[in-house]
Amino acid sequence: MLKKDGLTHVPNLDYESQDSLDDLIERAISLGFKEYTIAEMAPLPDEANVIQPHPSLTSDDLSTYKLEVDRVVDQYQNQIVIKRAFEINYFSPYENQMRQFLRSQIDWVDEVILSVHFIPDDMGILRRIDDIDIIKKYFATTLTTPQEFYQRYFALMAQSIEAILGVNKPIRIGDFGIIKRFQKTLNLPDFDDNIYKQIGDIFQMMMTRGYQLEINAAGFNDVGYGDTYPALEVAASAFDMGIEVIYSSHAHSVSEVGQFFNEIEEVIK
């Protein structure tokens, strides 16, 4: 596996951290990483019916973010390859807005990370699935049939891969399987055979399009989960199929840069 950290954050932009972006990059260099991707969540579509706030950039943040990334790209260009990126939340009704945003950034962005963090709740309203309180409150009925809960997520994941993004840049599927983030807390079962078939079909779609798969190490720190996103064995299956699997720390602080890379590399070689 290429020693690349495929998704990290700007710690002093949207997160409470005493570390600077320079601190994170210098830590990656000291650990021997060859590439380092900085990615924040792109602004959400203005029209999206999203009730809860989400840690995404606002239109006002955009120029600040890009200037900060450009600064470190120039500063560290002789020590590490830094990739400019956005993580895009997929919303099926707003594909046109997604394409417009990416095209507006085409001369700046090096990579695109595509993910699903919102699915319709029991009432059909888009809700975050990475917040335990929201899931307990708004998905209570759906959770009585967990496989349907999973199926709803992976159906949107398949739609995101089928979407025409309109950019000729490396595209990576991120946070794959985050629907199980609170599996221990909520006592959720494993995926059934139908869901694993759905995952296999998605991997075939990714292969056809040449999409990469992120393996997100931050899941090891989630006490209600305790694995990567997707699970290590699922990522290994994708790798065996020929999908390029890219490690990501999702670091917000120096201590998180490169976390669990060695453990993951033992499985994804």
Side-chain angles (χ1 to χ4, degrees), residues 129-149:
I129 55 170
D130 54 358
D131 185 304
I132 184 66
D133 293 330
I134 290 171
I135 289 180
K136 285 180 176 179
K137 183 174 183 179
Y138 297 105
F139 291 88
T141 301
T142 306
L143 286 174
T144 61
T145 52
Q147 302 303 328
E148 179 184 332
F149 183 54

Side-chain angles (χ1 to χ4, degrees), residues 8-116:
T8 63
H9 296 285
V10 180
N12 51 2
L13 185 63
D14 290 318
Y15 307 92
E16 294 183 4
S17 174
Q18 300 302 310
D19 300 328
S20 70
L21 182 55
D22 299 71
D23 293 332
L24 273 68
I25 293 168
E26 289 169 14
R27 176 60 174 164
I29 293 168
S30 74
L31 291 173
F33 280 88
K34 305 302 181 186
E35 290 189 14
Y36 187 92
T37 299
I38 304 170
E40 294 295 343
M41 285 282 188
L44 301 179
D46 291 336
E47 304 89 342
N49 182 23
V50 176
I51 293 178
Q52 295 79 20
H54 192 263
S56 54
L57 296 170
T58 66
S59 298
D60 293 337
D61 295 329
L62 207 53
S63 59
T64 302
Y65 168 63
K66 290 169 66 176
L67 285 171
E68 180 68 348
V69 175
D70 286 342
R71 179 186 67 79
V72 294
V73 168
D74 291 340
Q75 182 170 336
Y76 295 98
Q77 60 182 314
N78 296 323
Q79 299 176 68
I80 192 169
V81 175
I82 298 176
K83 299 289 188 178
R84 305 171 176 93
F86 287 107
E87 184 171 1
I88 304 291
N89 267 305
Y90 177 74
F91 297 92
S92 56
Y94 306 111
E95 288 185 14
N96 189 49
Q97 290 90 326
M98 177 177 65
R99 283 191 293 271
Q100 288 176 353
F101 174 79
L102 286 173
R103 286 170 182 164
S104 73
Q105 304 298 322
I106 194 68
D107 293 331
W108 185 83
V109 71
D110 297 311
E111 301 178 342
V112 175
I113 294 124
L114 187 61
S115 58
V116 172

Side-chain angles (χ1 to χ4, degrees), residues 213-244:
L213 176 68
E214 173 198 65
I215 183 165
N216 177 354
F220 278 132
N221 295 322
D222 289 338
V223 294
Y225 181 64
D227 204 337
T228 54
Y229 300 111
L232 261 174
E233 62 178 19
V234 175
S237 297
F239 180 77
D240 291 341
M241 289 174 65
I243 294 172
E244 186 177 9

Side-chain angles (χ1 to χ4, degrees), residues 237-253:
S237 297
F239 180 77
D240 291 341
M241 289 174 65
I243 294 172
E244 186 177 9
V245 177
I246 304 293
Y247 160 87
S248 295
S249 68
H250 282 241
H252 303 89
S253 63

